[in-house]
């Protein structure tokens, strides 16, 4: 007896899907049967490479371009998504939305400028807010929204104060949306990675910092993007239908001790 694919027949959109954790999420969802829209903001070649990787594995995907953090970004994103679906003769609408796109701001409060602050909130908080708002008429009943947060929202991490504030705001959006959308059978959850091996963290090139971050996990290693993608795939599945409004630690148990 063949086991059906977890996301067979579903359509998913992963923002920031061309690299790092977003790329791994897109590949995992596609590997489980979803048609995946791989969103990118600037690096078209990376998005096309991710789509080709998905297709080489037997999955289905297409790139969607929209710069986030600028006026009208959500409308641009959804217009591009709608056009791409129509071009594939696919059914309009969406089943899984993963708000993954984000930028870091590795500075203490004294070094954060107003422009830095505004940019971080524009990309990490405002963009997903309006992506969800503009996308609710496309998201089918029984759908899934997954917000990629950070374990830093649960510990003091002054080196990332403004960045962490953007993610804390996203966590609250998760709670509010879960309450509002429950009547439609839509679940909304936050998945919070810890120290993960991606390009977004340039400090990992420093051996001492890399070793310290790896040692923060009970497993003694950095997270891999696939570690996070596996959790997101579960949260986006029907297996997680009775879980909503939750903050899910996907950090490998960092900072459990003192």
């Amino acid at each position: 007896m063949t086991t059906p694919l977890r996301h067979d027949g579903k359509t998913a959109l992963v923002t920031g899907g061309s690299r790092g954790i977003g790329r791994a999420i897109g590949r995992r969802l596609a590997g489980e049967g979803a048609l995946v829209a791989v969103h990118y903001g600037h690096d078209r070649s990376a998005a096309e490479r991710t789509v080709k990787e998905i297709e080489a594995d037997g999955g289905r995907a297409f790139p969607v371009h929209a710069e986030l953090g600028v006026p009208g970004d959500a409308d641009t994103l959804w217009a591009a998504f709608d056009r791409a679906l129509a071009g594939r003769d696919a059914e309009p609408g969406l089943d899984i939305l993963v708000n993954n796109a984000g930028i870091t701001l590795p500075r203490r409060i004294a070094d954060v400028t107003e422009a830095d602050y505004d940019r971080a909130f524009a990309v990490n908080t405002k963009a997903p807010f309006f992506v969800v708002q503009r996308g609710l008429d496309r998201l089918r009943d029984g759908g899934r929204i997954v917000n990629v947060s950070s374990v830093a929202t649960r510990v003091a991490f002054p080196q990332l104060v403004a960045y962490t504030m953007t993610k804390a705001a996203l966590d609250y959006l998760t709670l509010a949306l879960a309450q509002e959308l429950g009547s439609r059978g839509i679940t909304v959850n936050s998945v919070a990675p810890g120290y993960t091996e991606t390009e977004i963290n340039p400090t990992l090139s420093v051996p001492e910092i890399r070793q310290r971050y790896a040692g923060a996990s009970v497993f003694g290693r950095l997270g891999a993007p696939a570690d996070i993608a596996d959790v997101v795939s579960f949260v986006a599945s029907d297996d997680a239908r009775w879980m909503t409004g939750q903050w899910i630690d996907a950090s490998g148990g960092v900072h459990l001790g003192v």
Side-chain angles (χ1 to χ4, degrees):
M1 178 177 175
T2 302
T3 302
L5 294 175
R6 177 182 270 172
H7 302 299
D8 192 30
K10 301 294 180 62
T11 299
L13 168 63
V14 182
T15 67
S18 65
R19 296 183 295 175
I21 291 173
R23 170 177 169 270
I25 292 171
R27 294 190 67 177
R28 178 59 194 262
L29 294 177
E32 295 271 22
L35 169 62
V36 177
V38 177
H39 161 263
Y40 70 99
H42 301 283
D43 195 341
R44 180 178 179 85
S45 62
E48 291 177 341
R49 184 164 58 249
T50 298
V51 168
K52 288 178 181 177
E53 290 170 349
I54 289 171
E55 292 174 340
D57 291 337
R60 300 174 300 143
F62 57 90
V64 172
H65 174 252
E67 182 181 356
L68 301 183
V70 299
D73 51 4
D75 290 330
T76 299
L77 172 60
W78 286 117
F81 174 83
D82 292 341
R83 284 195 304 270
L85 274 185
R88 298 178 63 91
D89 292 325
E91 182 181 354
L94 184 73
D95 301 285
I96 302 166
L97 170 61
V98 182
N99 286 309
N100 166 76
I103 59 174
T104 56
L105 187 57
R107 298 175 191 169
R108 292 179 178 270
I109 188 170
D111 300 317
V112 175
T113 67
E114 288 192 37
D116 291 334
Y117 183 95
D118 289 345
R119 174 66 177 160
F121 270 86
V123 175
N124 297 359
T125 308
K126 182 178 179 181
F129 181 97
F130 286 101
V131 166
V132 170
Q133 184 197 71
R134 301 293 203 271
L136 284 178
D137 60 346
R138 295 169 174 85
L139 188 63
R140 286 185 265 271
D141 290 355
R144 301 285 183 263
I145 298 174
V146 183
N147 295 321
V148 177
S149 180
S150 171
V151 75
T153 65
R154 295 301 190 271
V155 296
F157 209 75
Q159 301 94 319
L160 289 172
V161 58
Y163 165 81
T164 304
M165 288 172 65
T166 69
K167 293 299 187 177
L170 198 62
D171 290 345
Y172 178 76
L173 179 63
T174 293
L175 285 175
L177 288 174
Q179 177 75 22
E180 182 168 352
L181 300 178
S183 62
R184 293 180 53 192
I186 295 170
T187 69
V188 190
N189 293 286
S190 290
V191 171
Y195 303 115
T196 309
E197 185 94 60
T198 68
E199 300 169 4
I200 199 172
N201 192 347
T203 62
L204 293 180
S205 62
V206 181
E208 295 80 6
I209 295 178
R210 183 183 183 87
Q211 184 176 4
R212 184 166 71 248
Y213 287 175
S217 165
V218 298
F219 301 116
R221 68 170 177 86
L222 294 170
D227 295 325
I228 316 305
D230 290 351
V231 177
V232 171
S233 180
F234 164 71
V235 172
S237 74
D238 189 55
D239 293 336
R241 63 192 175 278
W242 201 236
M243 182 172 68
T244 194
Q246 299 304 300
W247 185 88
I248 300 148
D249 186 316
S251 71
V254 302
H255 302 305
L256 288 182
V258 294

